[in-house]
Amino acid sequence: MIKVVFPDQSIKEFEKGTKVIDIAKSISEGLARNVISASYNNEICETETKLYSDGEIKLYTWDDNEGKQAFWHSSAHILAQTIKFYYPNCKLTIGPSIENGFYYDVDFGDDIFSEKDFPKIENKFLEFARENHQFVMKSVTKDEALSFYKKENNKYKLELISGLEDGSISFCDHSNFSDLCKGGHIPSTGIVKAIKLLNVAGAYWRGDEKNSQLTRVYGISFPKQKLLTEYLDLVEKAKERDHRKLGKELELFTFSNKVGQGLPLWLPKGTELRDRLQHFLEDAQKKAGYKKVMSPHIGSKELYVTSGHYEKYGEDSFQPILTPNESEVFMLRPMNCPHHCEIFNSKPLSYRDLPLRLAEFGTVYRYEQSGELHGLSRVRGFTVDDAHIFCTPEQVDSEFKNTIDLVLYVFKSLGFNDYYAQVSLRDPNNPDKYIGLDTNWEIAEKAIIDSANEKELNYKVEYGEAAFYGPKLDFMVKDALGRSWQLGTIQVDYNLPERFDLTYKGNNNEDLRPVMLHRAPFGSMERFVAILLEHTGGFFPIWLTTTQVEILIVGENFKNYGEKVLNILENNEIRAHLDDRNETVGKKIRESELNKIPYMIIIGENEMSNNTVSVRKHHAEDLGEMEIENFIDIIKKEIFDCIPSFNIN
Ligand SMILES: [Zn+2]
Ligand SMILES: [Zn+2]
C-alpha cells in the first residue's frame, strides 16, 4: 500500500500502482469528471499515471492554473499534428504552453505560413480533437528517439535529443501522431472544444539570432466555445484599455529612444497624477508614524556586495559605474533597502526607538532585456513607494496589522474592491533552507496569520513559498476585466539586519537584532499607474483626476462669467479648467469626454443671467441648471465619498 497526502493534509492508503484518476474517484465522481491534470510530490503527472510510492497529491481542473497549462500543452500537440497534416515536410521544434495559451515553433522550409492559413488549421484541429484520442506517454531509448527524427530529417529534435540522457526520454502519442515530450497532458483530445490561432511571428531556434529563423504560431484553446468568446471579448476590451494607448491619449507619459528604452518620461499631466498619488500615500504614512528619508540613486558597489544585491543584480544588470578615481566603483541602485539599513546604522538606537519606519519614494534601476519591456509595467528605471520598518520580534504583529490597514486603505481609495491575500510560509519539511532563528520565524508566521484573520482577509496559505530570509503576505487584486495583479507585498526579512549588523540596545543594555519589514502598497509608481489606467480605463477616481471640472462657454460674451465660476471653484479647492477657445460647444464637449473629465459645466445666456451653471456628468445623465453652491456640494460629496478616511489605531 502507499500513503497519499491530500492538500488538506488528510491521508488515505491505496494499492501500489493506483492511477491518479482512481484516487480522484475515491473522493468523488464529480471531481473525477473535472480533473484534467495532477501533480505528485510537486511533479506534474497525468490522470493515467500510476503511483508506486508515498507522496503528496494535487488534482487540477480547468479552473487551476496547472490545469490550464496541461490543457494548453496538450493543445500544442494537436496543433503540431494539424500543421504536420497540411505541411508534411515541415520540421517541428518546440511547443510549450504559455501564460495565455501556447505556441509551436516550426521550420516551414520553403512553404509560407500566414494568418490566411488560420481557418483551415483551426477547422482541422477541431476535427482531430473531436476524434477524442487519448494522450499516451511512452518511454523510448535514445537510439529509438534519434532514429525516429533521423527519418524525418529533423535536425532540431535531433539536437534536443542529443542533449538528453538515455533512460529519461519519452514521447507522447495521440492518434497517429508522436512528439518528443516530458509529459503533463490532459486525458484526451476530446476535452478541447474551441481553438483560436492568435498570431504568427518570427523566432530564432533556441532564441539565438545566429540560428535558423522559425515561424512561431500562437494559439489558445478552451473546454467550451463560450469561454473562447469571453476570452476574445476580454482581449478586445483590454486593447481599448491598454495603458500605453491611454497614456498617450491622456498625455501622461512618453518614451524616447534617444533617452533610452524602458525609461519613461512623465509628461506634466502624468507627473501631476503621480504627485497626487505620492502625496496621498505620504499623508497616510505620516499618520501611521512613518518618517520620510531620501537617498541617492547610486551607491558604492561594496554596499550591494554587503546586501547581497550585487550577487543578484550585478553581472546580469547595469554594469558598475567607474569614476576617474580608479578605486571607486558605484552601481545604479537596484533596491532602496541597503541605503535605509545604513540610515538605521547612523546612530545608536534602543528598543525605545523602535519601531522605526523609514519611507522613501526611491527610484531604482534594473536591466530588462529589450524584448521584455512593456509600457510602464516593465521598465528599466522605476520608483518604489518603499518603506522599511525596523522593529523588535514582538512588534512584528502590530506592524503587520498596521501595514495591512494601509494597503487596504490604498485599495479602497482607488477602487480595487476584489482581492485576496496569499500568505507564504516556510516549507516545514525543509527548515535548513531558511536563515534566522526558529523562534522568530514562529512569531512572525503566527503574526501574519493572526493579522490576516483579524483583518478578515480572504487568504490562502502556501507552504514553502516564503523567501529564504522571511515569510510574507501578498495581495492579489482583480481589475475591472477580471485580471489578477500582485500588489502590496509585506515581506519579513531576517537577512539584511544580519548582513548590515543592525543592532539596538535591549532592556538590559544587551545588543539585539531588529526585524526588518519591506512593504510597498503601490509596488512601483510606474506599474501601479499602468494597472490603474487599465482598471479604470482612464476614468480615475475623482479625487485623483487632474481636471475635475471643465468649464465650457458657448461664446466670447460669457468669458467673464466663466472666469468668475472658475474662481469660485478654485477657491473651493476644486480643480477646474476654463475652455475659452473659439470653438463650437459640440467640439469642446467631445474633447472633454475624450479627456475623461468627470464634470462639465456649460455656460451661456441663461446661466449668466440666472447666476447659475448647467452641469453634465460624464457617463451619466444631464444634471441640468443649478446654483454654483449646489454644484459645489455635489462634487465635494463625491470627492469625500470616494476617499475613505485613514485612521491608525
Ligand atoms: Zn506533451
Ligand atoms: Zn526593501
Side-chain angles (χ1 to χ4, degrees), residues 335-337 386-388 496 516 518-519:
M335 293 271 218
N336 302 307
C337 343
D386 223 346
H388 296 98
L496 287 185
M516 189 173 175
H518 309 252
R519 39 103 292 171

Side-chain angles (χ1 to χ4, degrees), residues 464-480:
E465 287 294 307
F468 76 91
Y469 52 85
K472 66 172 175 168
L473 184 143
D474 291 303
F475 286 91
M476 301 301 295
V477 176
K478 259 198 186 157
D479 73 7

Side-chain angles (χ1 to χ4, degrees), residues 52 67 74 108 138 147 208 236 277 301 325 376 399 442 493 508 514 558 620 645:
Y52 292 98
S74 308
F108 280 96
K138 69 169 186 220
S147 79
D208 187 340
E236 257 334 287
L277 279 170
K301 180 181 156 189
N325 176 348
L376 286 186
E399 289 311 303
E442 279 157 25
D493 185 351
N508 302 315
F558 310 105
S645 59

Side-chain angles (χ1 to χ4, degrees), residues 260 295 312 332 338 372 397:
S295 54
K312 185 158 181 224
L332 285 172
E372 301 286 316
D397 184 76

